[in-house]
């Protein structure tokens, strides 16, 4: 695997190093030792899958608060997604920055999101499936979110939103989230 840093501190785009032959391809999807060698103490405790039928579906921007903070490793197993990590850590040099990357079943690419970051994605093809592992168990009381279209972050989604849940459409804008700290001044794009 090849680990590429992003503009969000601690977030990594992970390129597979597949072995390809007449049968197809084989590639490593996670390795405790390789992650540790790149400074990531990531031990998955839970794995989740999502499936969306419509192209343009947006899910996010989700995170768990500090009582149950989790890191994630995301990949697309069918179709393609535009996957986004958003830094919500007030002490981070990249606070308020986001990074987006195309993950697909063809490229096998993965996105690692450190604790304290929000996650969301948009489907680029119909009938798209994604898989992600988390470093903490899902805690409903700790589940939070910010709006996918919050002007404070100005995330450049590649398509108009075709589907989005009421919950995701109604997350608060960031002003309450940034209580006591200034909202981010720099918006970084994918």
């Amino acid at each position: 695997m090849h680990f590429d840093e992003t503009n969000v501190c601690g977030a990594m785009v992970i390129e597979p190093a597949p072995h390809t032959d007449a049968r197809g391809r084989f590639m490593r999807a996670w390795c405790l030792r390789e992650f540790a060698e790149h400074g990531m103490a990531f031990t998955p405790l839970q794995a989740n899958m999502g499936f969306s039928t419509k192209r343009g579906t947006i899910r996010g921007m989700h995170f768990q608060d500090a009582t149950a903070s989790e890191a994630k490793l995301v990949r697309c197993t069918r179709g393609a997604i535009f996957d986004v990590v958003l830094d919500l850590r007030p002490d981070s040099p990249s606070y308020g920055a986001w990074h987006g990357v195309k993950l697909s079943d063809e490229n096998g690419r993965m996105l690692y999101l450190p604790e304290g970051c929000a996650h969301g994605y948009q489907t680029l093809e119909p009938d798209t499936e994604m898989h992600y592992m988390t470093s903490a168990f899902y805690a409903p009381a700790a589940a939070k979110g910010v709006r996918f279209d919050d002007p404070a972050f100005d995330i450049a989604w590649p398509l108009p939103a075709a589907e989005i849940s009421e919950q995701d459409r109604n997350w608060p804008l960031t002003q309450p989230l940034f209580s006591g700290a200034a909202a981010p001044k720099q918006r970084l794009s994918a």
Side-chain angles (χ1 to χ4, degrees):
M1 291 183 278
H2 305 284
F3 294 75
D4 298 315
E5 293 181 9
T6 71
N7 59 306
V8 172
C9 293
M12 297 273 193
V13 174
I14 302 165
E15 298 283 349
H19 170 76
T20 305
D21 61 23
R23 300 169 292 177
R25 73 176 179 192
F26 178 87
M27 59 189 182
R28 187 173 299 129
W30 177 76
C31 175
L32 181 67
R33 182 176 51 230
E34 283 188 73
F35 272 62
E37 288 170 357
H38 289 88
M40 295 179 286
F42 178 69
T43 303
L45 297 181
Q46 186 172 308
N48 303 300
M49 296 183 80
F51 180 79
S52 299
T53 57
K54 288 187 179 177
R55 178 179 186 257
T57 297
I58 293 178
R59 294 179 186 258
M61 300 293 296
H62 305 147
F63 65 98
Q64 290 196 161
D65 68 25
T67 64
S69 191
E70 63 185 1
K72 293 181 181 180
L73 180 63
V74 184
R75 65 186 306 253
C76 183
T77 54
R78 179 178 175 186
I81 62 175
F82 180 71
D83 205 42
V84 177
V85 55
L86 170 63
D87 193 344
L88 297 178
R89 302 165 294 178
D91 296 334
S92 170
S94 59
Y95 180 54
W98 64 272
H99 184 84
V101 62
K102 181 181 178 181
L103 308 180
S104 72
D105 56 352
E106 287 184 22
N107 67 27
R109 190 177 291 144
M110 295 170 278
L111 180 62
Y112 172 77
L113 300 85
E115 291 181 3
C117 292
H119 174 248
Y121 66 94
Q122 183 175 46
T123 58
L124 302 176
E125 298 178 9
D127 299 325
T128 290
E129 181 179 74
M130 58 81 72
H131 173 272
Y132 68 98
M133 298 186 294
T134 64
S135 64
F137 297 110
Y138 176 67
K144 306 285 186 243
V146 295
R147 290 248 304 265
F148 74 101
D149 59 352
D150 192 321
F153 306 119
D154 200 24
I155 297 172
W157 299 101
L159 302 170
E163 289 287 331
I164 187 158
S165 73
E166 282 301 309
Q167 175 181 313
D168 288 348
R169 190 180 304 281
N170 291 307
W171 288 118
L173 293 175
T174 54
Q175 197 55 37
L177 187 72
F178 288 108
S179 59
K185 294 178 182 158
Q186 184 180 30
R187 295 185 194 114
L188 304 172
S189 63

